[in-house]
């Protein structure tokens, strides 16, 4: 008996040496756990993300200043231009994520999109140094410069479309969900990913923005281009350490098959026992993981009903789907209302790089007699809020909550997002109060820029909850074959939020302009941004109520899997069902 147990332990220990999650190493073999994945691989990913985000935030934070001072756009036009660019940049990942999941794989898409990104940065350098493309020193914009500049930043948008969603999902894929310790590390990965992003924001919005404002945009562009090129080379050099997920074909095809099969069998009644629904008894590991049946959207369960007259047509996916395919379809449909109710957080984020920055330009920016704070650098305060709150949350609060709730991540994903959305309401209230005070003293004295710090700081705390929570949600609560698309959906929250912000500006200008005094005019001192902020606070509060209503009845993804202890032994010979 003891010999049998020893043999089983040895067999389990041998099995533990390899990663069985449908991933391969760089030579297409089964990944060896000790030499691939986890932090040794994700470190390359985090460094690469760090350099890309420095480039992005350096441009994004100061873009409205460049458009108004160098290209000489008015406030309303510049704000809309920033929102259009930011919106495009964060919606392009929907295309890049789809192509990566379906055809190219994440790694190949990251490398290709990084080269496109570098092309955009190179064109940005040329627009600053080539005499015929350089901006004029007078108040007349040069058309050639405008064309080159916008072509450069939209080329960067195109590169971001493949880089951003694939890099984050690629980094998370370095942790095996079926291994207990790696699964816990994956939860921390999302926190440290956001920590890295905010540290990059801090440097991009301070050091690089300072170079832009007080040295030159050309020098700043040269710095971020060199940094991006070096980390691209480093990321490629880390190939032996990565675990790679193979593209699974068009991920929307199985969803369409489930819908068609359910419609075909709409007149049938679902069995009272879900075990009677069709499922492959044991999936090959290369085919993915089994999902457990859930009671929601029960109409779709009809796709998994076995019809006696078609019992020999089990290979016909347009007539019969597995429970796993049905559950994946439910996941995609459940994502839609959560995505819609998350959009107001994107609208809130959009103000930090547009109207908040223009507020700062009218204030006293002198920190000392010799140092003047660049307005765009205030975004770094939000980054500081995240840098302070995230480590405290990850290292102090989460371990305590794990003991209290029994949840591996401390609190549920949607609860974390709702806390961030609550802070978003507070941000807009604080912004409205500060702007009202600033308008009252215009012409009397100049208000200190320090008054803007609370709203930026609260925004940072809000992001440490909602931003990280949305990342986790759109990674975990989509089918495994759609994780790059999931991260693209997360990014699109910010992208659509920017477009919605521009849309609201247009509507508000149209409605309030009829009375002769627009809330958002050509000059910030003649505008009433405080009323605009109050409107956003009300919209965010109503949206929070809708989100909480959805969260109460939400059913999380459940996965059947073997769970490994840290010593490599199976916790159970059976299958464990775990709610994400």
């Amino acid at each position: 008996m003891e010999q049998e147990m020893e043999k089983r332990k040895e067999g389990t220990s041998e099995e533990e040496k390899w990663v069985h999650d449908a991933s391969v190493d760089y030579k297409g073999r089964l990944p060896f756990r000790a030499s691939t994945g986890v932090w040794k691989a994700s470190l390359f990913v985090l460094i690469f993300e760090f350099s890309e985000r420095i480039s992005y935030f350096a441009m994004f934070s100061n873009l409205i200043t460049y458009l108004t001072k160098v290209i000489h756009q008015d406030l309303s036009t510049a704000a809309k231009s920033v929102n259009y660019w930011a919106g495009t940049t964060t919606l392009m990942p929907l295309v890049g994520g789809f192509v990566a999941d379906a055809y190219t794989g994440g790694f190949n898409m990251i490398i290709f999109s990084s080269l496109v990104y570098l092309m955009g940065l190179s064109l940005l350098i040329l627009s600053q140094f080539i005499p015929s493309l350089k901006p004029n020193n007078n108040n007349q914009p040069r058309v050639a410069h405008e064309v080159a500049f916008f072509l450069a930043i939209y080329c960067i948008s195109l590169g971001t479309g493949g880089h951003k969603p694939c890099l984050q999902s690629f980094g998370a894929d370095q942790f095996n969900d079926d291994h207990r310790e790696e699964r816990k590390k994956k939860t921390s990965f999302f926190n440290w990913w956001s920590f890295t992003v905010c540290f990059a924001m801090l440097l991009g919005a301070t050091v690089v923005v300072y170079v832009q404002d007080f040295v030159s945009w050309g020098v700043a562009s040269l710095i971020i281009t060199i940094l991006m090129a070096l980390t691209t080379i480093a990321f490629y050099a880390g190939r032996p350490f990565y675990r790679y997920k193979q593209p699974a074909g068009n991920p929307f095809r199985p969803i369409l098959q489930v819908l068609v099969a359910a419609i075909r069998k709409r007149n049938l009644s679902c069995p009272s026992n879900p075990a009677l629904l069709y499922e492959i008894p044991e999936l090959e590991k290369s085919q993915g993981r089994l999902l457990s049946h859930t009671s929601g959207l029960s109409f779709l369960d009809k796709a998994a009903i076995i019809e006696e007259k078609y019992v020999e047509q089990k290979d016909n996916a347009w007539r019969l789907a597995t429970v796993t395919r049905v559950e994946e379809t439910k996941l995609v449909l459940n994502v839609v209302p959560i995505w819609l109710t998350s959009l107001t957080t994107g609208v809130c984020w959009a103000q930090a790089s547009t109207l908040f920055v223009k507020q700062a330009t009218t204030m006293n920016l002198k920190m000392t007699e010799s140092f003047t704070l660049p307005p765009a650098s205030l975004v770094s305060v939000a980054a500081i809020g995240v840098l302070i709150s995230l480590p405290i949350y990850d290292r102090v609060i989460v371990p305590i909550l794990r003991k209290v709730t029994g949840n591996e991540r401390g609190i549920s994903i949607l609860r974390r997002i709702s806390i961030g959305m609550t802070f978003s309401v507070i941000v807009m209230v604080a912004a409205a109060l500060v702007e009202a005070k600033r308008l009252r003293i215009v012409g009397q004295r100049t208000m200190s820029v320090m008054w803007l710090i609370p709203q930026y700081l609260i925004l940072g705390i809000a992001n440490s909850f909602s931003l990280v929570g949305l990342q986790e949600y759109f990674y975990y609560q989509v089918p495994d074959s759609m994780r790059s698309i999931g991260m693209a959906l997360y990014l699109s929250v910010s992208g659509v939020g920017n477009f919605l912000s521009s849309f609201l500006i247009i509507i508000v200008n149209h409605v309030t302009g009829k009375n002769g005094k627009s809330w958002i005019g050509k000059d910030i001192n003649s505008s009433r941004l405080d009323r605009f902020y109050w409107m956003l606070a009300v919209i965010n509060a109503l949206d929070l109520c809708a989100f909480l209503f959805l969260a109460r009845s939400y059913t999380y993804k459940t996965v059947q899997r073997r769970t490994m202890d840290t010593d490599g032994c199976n916790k159970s010979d059976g299958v464990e069902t775990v709610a994400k």
Side-chain angles (χ1 to χ4, degrees):
M1 186 71 175
E2 292 181 1
Q3 290 180 345
E4 289 183 6
M5 291 183 65
E6 286 294 327
K7 288 181 179 179
R8 290 180 64 184
K9 285 183 179 180
E10 289 177 6
T12 302
S13 178
E14 185 66 25
E15 184 80 1
E16 168 72 358
K17 291 181 180 179
W18 307 95
V19 180
H20 299 279
D21 65 347
S23 62
V24 296
D25 67 7
Y26 76 112
K27 291 185 177 180
R29 305 168 303 189
L30 201 64
F32 188 60
R33 190 180 301 278
S35 60
T36 63
V38 292
W39 293 116
K40 73 177 73 65
S42 60
L43 181 61
F44 288 93
V45 174
L46 292 175
I47 291 173
F48 200 15
E49 173 67 5
F50 175 73
S51 71
E52 189 276 330
R53 288 292 90 182
I54 285 181
S55 302
Y56 175 80
F57 285 118
M59 291 181 291
F60 184 49
S61 302
N62 215 16
L63 185 56
I64 194 167
T65 303
Y66 190 88
L67 293 175
T68 53
K69 290 188 176 181
V70 179
I71 299 184
H72 306 292
Q73 293 183 347
D74 59 51
L75 175 60
S76 178
T77 303
K80 286 185 287 187
S81 295
V82 172
N83 286 330
Y84 290 147
W85 178 75
T88 302
T89 304
T90 46
L91 284 179
M92 283 302 298
L94 290 171
V95 178
F98 170 77
V99 174
D101 282 341
Y103 305 112
T104 66
F107 180 81
N108 291 331
M109 178 57 73
I110 292 167
I111 295 298
F112 171 75
S113 59
S114 298
L115 296 177
V116 176
Y117 199 115
L118 284 169
M119 286 174 56
L121 288 175
S122 301
L123 184 56
L124 193 63
I125 293 174
L126 296 178
S127 72
Q128 300 297 321
F129 287 108
I130 293 180
S132 60
L133 297 180
K134 290 175 65 175
N136 286 328
N137 294 325
N138 54 37
N139 291 332
Q140 295 298 321
R142 176 176 284 171
V143 175
H145 174 72
E146 285 190 64
V147 172
F149 180 79
F150 281 105
L151 185 60
I153 64 174
Y154 276 97
C155 188
I156 290 170
S157 294
L158 184 62
T160 305
H163 185 281
K164 194 73 174 106
C166 298
L167 188 64
Q168 186 166 9
S169 61
F170 184 78
D173 286 342
Q174 303 308 309
F175 301 86
N176 184 4
D177 278 321
D178 293 328
H179 189 275
R180 183 176 297 277
E181 288 303 311
E182 288 195 18
R183 192 168 67 248
K184 287 183 179 179
K185 290 175 182 177
K186 179 182 280 194
T187 302
S188 291
F189 169 78
F190 285 101
N191 289 326
W192 289 107
W193 172 276
S194 295
F195 183 91
T196 301
V197 168
C198 290
F199 188 47
M201 181 196 296
L202 178 63
L203 292 181
T206 53
V207 177
V208 182
V209 166
Y210 184 86
V211 174
Q212 289 170 344
D213 285 354
F214 298 105
V215 182
S216 78
W217 271 76
V219 173
S221 300
L222 189 61
I223 291 172
I224 60 180
T225 303
I226 293 172
L227 182 61
M228 183 73 179
L230 292 175
T231 52
T232 300
I233 296 170
F235 175 77
Y236 186 81
R239 288 177 65 236
F241 300 104
Y242 304 142
R243 299 170 186 171
Y244 304 83
K245 291 292 177 67
Q246 300 298 310
N250 189 342
F252 295 106
R253 181 183 174 88
I255 295 171
L256 182 60
Q257 289 172 335
V258 170
L259 294 174
V260 170
I263 292 171
R264 280 180 167 179
K265 291 182 279 191
R266 60 188 177 278
N267 295 323
L268 299 181
S269 299
C270 289
S272 57
N273 184 2
L276 298 176
L277 297 173
Y278 176 63
E279 181 63 281
I280 298 176
E282 187 175 345
L283 285 175
E284 296 179 7
K285 294 185 183 296
S286 60
Q287 291 178 308
R289 302 181 295 171
L290 288 171
L291 299 184
S292 300
H293 176 266
T294 58
S295 58
L297 298 173
S298 58
F299 170 78
L300 296 176
D301 292 338
K302 296 183 179 184
I305 297 176
I306 302 174
E307 300 172 279
E308 291 184 7
K309 60 181 178 179
Y310 295 107
V311 71
E312 296 181 357
Q313 299 185 21
K314 288 187 177 181
D315 291 335
N316 185 356
W318 296 96
R319 181 164 288 279
L320 181 63
T322 64
V323 170
T324 294
R325 292 300 188 197
V326 171
E327 291 302 316
E328 288 178 343
T329 304
K330 291 180 182 180
L331 288 174
V332 173
L333 295 179
N334 284 332
V335 159
V336 175
I338 298 296
W339 180 81
L340 288 173
T341 51
S342 301
L343 295 179
T344 55
T345 60
V347 175
C348 185
W349 299 342
Q351 309 316 311
S353 56
T354 54
L355 298 181
F356 286 7
V357 175
K358 289 307 295 182
Q359 280 180 276
T361 60
T362 66
M363 296 180 164
N364 183 5
L365 295 166
K366 282 195 172 183
M367 298 293 99
T368 65
E369 289 296 326
S370 59
F371 177 72
T372 300
L373 181 72
S377 293
L378 277 171
V379 178
S380 63
V381 177
I384 292 171
V386 177
L387 294 175
I388 293 173
S389 58
L390 262 184
I392 294 174
Y393 180 80
D394 186 69
R395 296 301 178 185
V396 179
I397 298 176
V398 169
I400 296 173
L401 291 175
R402 280 174 179 164
K403 294 179 181 179
V404 174
T405 65
N407 189 319
E408 283 187 352
R409 54 175 45 87
I411 56 176
S412 68
I413 296 174
L414 295 183
R415 184 168 295 176
R416 181 173 186 171
I417 296 171
S418 66
I419 293 173
M421 293 175 72
T422 303
F423 276 111
S424 294
V425 176
I426 298 173
V427 168
M428 301 319 304
V429 171
L433 293 174
V434 170
E435 177 63 7
K437 179 177 178 61
R438 189 191 70 82
L439 288 174
R440 284 197 300 269
I441 63 174
V442 167
Q444 302 174 21
R445 65 181 187 276
T446 304
M447 192 174 183
S448 171
V449 75
M450 300 298 287
W451 280 89
L452 293 182
I453 287 181
Q455 66 199 56
Y456 273 107
L457 194 62
I458 298 170
L459 182 64
I461 298 173
N463 286 347
S464 68
F465 285 93
S466 58
L467 184 140
V468 182
L470 287 169
Q471 289 174 10
E472 289 187 292
Y473 175 80
F474 287 109
Y475 178 84
Y476 284 114
Q477 299 304 314
V478 297
D480 291 354
S481 61
M482 297 178 64
R483 281 178 165 173
S484 293
I485 297 176
M487 299 319 302
L489 284 171
Y490 149 69
L491 294 168
S492 71
V493 169
S494 176
V496 176
N498 279 281
F499 282 119
L500 286 177
S501 180
S502 292
F503 176 73
L504 286 173
I505 289 173
I506 293 171
I507 296 298
V508 166
N509 274 338
H510 177 72
V511 174
T512 59
K514 292 180 179 180
N515 299 325
K517 189 174 183 180
S518 174
W519 287 3
I520 308 174
K522 291 186 177 182
D523 176 69
I524 191 170
N525 289 332
S526 63
S527 302
R528 290 303 305 265
L529 292 184
D530 57 327
R531 295 177 181 175
F532 183 68
Y533 293 154
W534 279 116
M535 183 188 74
L536 291 182
V538 172
I539 291 174
N540 274 270
L542 293 174
D543 186 68
L544 173 61
C545 295
F547 184 88
L548 291 173
F549 176 78
L550 292 172
R552 288 186 61 184
S553 58
Y554 189 86
T555 302
Y556 287 93
K557 175 181 179 181
T558 53
V559 181
Q560 298 179 13
R561 63 180 176 226
R562 289 181 185 274
T563 302
M564 300 285 188
D565 286 330
T566 55
D567 62 0
C569 297
N570 281 346
K571 180 181 179 181
S572 171
D573 290 334
V575 177
E576 183 183 7
T577 302
V578 183
K580 290 286 190 181

